[in-house]
Amino acid sequence: MKQNLYKYILGIADNSLILGQRMGALTGHGPSLETDIACTNISLDLFGQVRNYYQYAAKLKGDNTTEDDIAFLRKEREYFNVLLVEQPDTNFAYTIARQFLFDSYHFLFLTELQKSYDITLSAIAKKSIKEVSYHKRFSSDWIKRLGDGTEISHENIQEAINELWTYTDELFHQTEEDKIMVKENIGVDVTRLKEVYYDAVNGILKEATLDIPESKWFQKGGKHGIHTEHLGYILSDLQYMQRTYPNMEW
Amino acid sequence: MSEEQIRDLEAQFEARIARDEKIEPKDWMPEKYRKTHIRQMSQHAHSEIVGMLPEGNWITRAPSLRRKVALLAKVQDEAGHGLYLYSACETLGISRDELYEQLHTGKAKYSSIFNYPTVTWADMGAIGWLVDGAAIINQVPLCNTSYGPYARAMIRVCKEESFHQRQGFEIMIKLANGTKEQKEMAQDALNRWWWPSLMMLGPTDDKSVHTEQSMKWKLKRKTNDDLRQQFIDQTVPQAELIGLTIPDPNLKWNEERGSYDFGKINWDEFWQVVKGHGPCNKERMKARVGAWERGEWVRDAAMAYASKNQERKQDQAI
C-alpha cells in the first residue's frame, strides 16, 4: 500500500470530518433559521468531501476496507486533524472564528491541491473548492458583521479570535509524510501558504475593526495524532453506533 | 365599509374559492380566513423547526457516513420548509418574530409528535417512515388549497417529504433485514411511534373544532378520521413487507369496508402531550427558546452592521 499517500489523505480528510461533526451538532440550535441552514450546509459539504477522500483511502488500503471503517473505527491517536477544528462551540463567535480561520486555509490549500499529480486528489480538490469558497465567504462576512456590529459582538468575536489564534500555526506544519508527498508533487507545500494566509486573514480582521492577535505562542500536535481533550468526546459520539453494534450494516 | 358591502365581498370571495381560484396576499379576504391561515401555516412552520430537534439529536451519532449525510440533508430540508412557510405566513401581515414569540410563549402549537424522544437510531427510520408518511397524507391535499402562497409552498414541501418518507422506510428495511439486534431495534421503534403517528392525524371528527370551516376553504379536503384510515391502510402492508408487527392486537382487515379495523387510540395520552405534559415538551421549548435567547446578540450585530453599511453607502452617494 502507498502508506505515505494513505496517511496524507487522512491528514486532509480528518479536518473535514471533525469540523463537519462540530458543525452538524449545531443544527437546530443556531441564532437564526438562516444560520442553521448555512451551518448544516457547511457540515454536509464537509462530509461529502470526507466520503470522497476516505473512499479513495479505502481503495488504497484494500482488504475490503470501507469509508466507514476509516471514519469510525480508528483510535484517538490515529486521527490526524489539526487542533483548530476540534475546538468547542463556546458560543456563535467561536463557531464563526473557527470556521473563518480554517476556511481561509482550506481555500488556499485546495487551490494548490488542484495541481496535484495525483489525479483523484486533484479532482476532489476541484470539486471541493467551489463549496469552500462559499464557506469562506460565509465565515468572512460573519467576522465582519460581528466585528463591526455591536459592542458586545465585537468583544465576543475578538475573544474567540484571540483564543483560537494559537491553533493557526499548526496549519502550516509539515509531517514527514507531508514532505515526501510534496517532493512527489502530490502534496501541497503548506509552508508556502503561510504568508498569504496571514495577509488574507489580517485583512479581513482589519476590515472587521478587530485587532490582530500578537501572541507568538502556538499549539500543535493534531497532525501527529496528539489532540486536545475535546477530541475524545467528539469520537465518543461519532463512533457510538459502530462501537456498540460492531460488524453491522446500516 | 357598510355591512352590505362586506357581505358582498364575502360572497365574491367564497365564489372565487368555489371556482378553485387562488387567493393571493393582496386580495381582499375575511379576517377569519386570514387568522385561520396564520394559525395553520405557522403551526406547520413551527412543527418543521421543532421537528429538527429529535432528528438533529442523532446527527453526531449516525452509524455510517452515508446515513449521516442523508440525515443532515433531511434536517436541513426541514429548516428550509420552516423558512418558506414562515415567509408564506408573513404575506398575511405577521412577522416571523411575532410568530416565534407565539411559539416560545406556548400560544402557538406545533405537531405533538415531536414531544417524544428519539432513543435509538431506529427512531430515525420510524420518524421518516411513519411521521413523514402521516405528514404527507395530511399535506398533499394542501397543494390545492385556496391560499396561493401556502399551496405553492406545499408543492415543494411534499416533494421533499416524500423523499424523506422513502429514506426512512429504507432505514427500516435495512434494520429489519439485519441482525437480531437490529431487527429488535426496528420493532421497538415501530412499537413506540405507531400510536403517536395515528394521533398525529388529529382528534376524531366529532372532537375536531376546525374541520368544517377548513373544508370550505380547502385547507382540508378529508376529515381526520378519513386521513387516519388512509394512513393505516397504506402503512400496514409496508410493515408486513419488511416483517415487522404493528403493535395493535385489534388490527384486522375488514373485507366489507375494504379497510383495516384498528384498536382504540389512547386520546388521554394525546391530550396530555398537547397540553404540554409529554415526555419532551419542556426540553423542546427549552432548546428553541435557548437558541433564540443565546442568538440575540448575533441577530443584533447583523442588524447593526447592516444599518452601518447602509449609512456608509449613503455617505458615499453624496
Side-chain angles (χ1 to χ4, degrees), chain A residues 7 16 25 49 71 124 131 138-139 142 159 163 168 183 196 215 219:
Chain A
K7 208 167 159 205
S16 296
Q49 296 164 16
I124 298 173
E131 299 162 348
F138 171 81
S139 58
W142 270 105
E159 179 198 306
E163 289 294 311
T168 52
K183 225 177 255 172
V196 53
S215 167
Q219 299 296 324

Side-chain angles (χ1 to χ4, degrees), chain B residues 209-221:
Chain B
V209 284
H210 303 295
T211 296
E212 200 187 328
Q213 181 66 75
S214 295
M215 296 276 258
K216 209 163 112 195
W217 287 335
K218 296 174 182 170
L219 252 178
K220 218 169 187 166
R221 293 272 165 128

Side-chain angles (χ1 to χ4, degrees), chain A residues 206-225:
Chain A
K206 271 189 203 151
E207 208 184 316
T209 72
L210 291 165
D211 295 331
I212 295 152
E214 283 171 7
S215 167
K216 295 280 181 267
W217 299 102
F218 294 106
Q219 299 296 324
K220 62 174 188 288
K223 285 188 176 181
H224 296 279

Side-chain angles (χ1 to χ4, degrees), chain B residues 233-261:
Chain B
D233 291 346
Q234 164 188 313
T235 311
V236 172
Q238 293 171 350
E240 281 170 0
L241 186 75
I242 57 174
L244 296 179
T245 310
I246 302 283
D248 178 357
N250 296 314
L251 189 81
K252 214 174 116 198
W253 179 250
N254 183 324
E255 197 64 57
E256 208 173 300
R257 288 202 307 124
S259 271
Y260 283 92
D261 291 337

Side-chain angles (χ1 to χ4, degrees), chain A residues 17 21 24-25 27-34 36-37 40-41 43-44 47-48 50-51 54 67-68 71-72 91-93 141-142 144-146 148-150 152-153 156 237-238 240-242 244-245 248-250, chain B residues 49 52-53 56 58-70 72-73 75-76 79-80 82-83 86 96 100 121 174-175 179 181-182 185 287-288 291-292 294-295 297-302 304-305 308 312:
Chain A
L17 176 80
Q21 180 77 357
T27 306
H29 302 280
S32 73
L33 208 39
E34 286 81 354
D36 259 3
I37 291 174
T40 315
N41 205 46
S43 177
L44 257 176
F47 278 113
V50 165
R51 294 191 69 189
Y54 287 168
E67 55 172 358
D68 289 333
F72 299 103
N91 59 39
F92 190 69
D141 283 352
W142 270 105
K144 291 181 218 161
R145 276 189 203 108
L146 297 180
D148 195 15
T150 64
I152 297 172
S153 70
N156 286 350
D237 277 354
L238 180 75
Y240 167 71
M241 288 296 290
Q242 290 273 345
T244 313
Y245 304 95
M248 295 183 203
E249 280 184 34
W250 302 96
Chain B
I49 62 160
M52 291 167 70
L53 299 170
W58 277 89
I59 287 174
T60 60
R61 294 174 294 165
S64 69
L65 289 174
R66 179 173 162 258
R67 293 293 183 204
K68 196 188 280 282
V69 167
L72 272 164
V75 179
Q76 191 193 26
L83 196 58
Y86 281 126
R96 206 200 304 177
Y100 275 162
W121 168 252
K174 198 84 185 168
L175 293 173
T179 63
E181 266 178 301
Q182 285 174 305
M185 195 191 275
R288 280 312 322 159
W292 187 246
R294 277 194 309 277
W297 68 269
V298 177
R299 297 188 303 276
D300 287 348
Y305 179 76
K308 276 188 203 174
R312 276 193 282 258

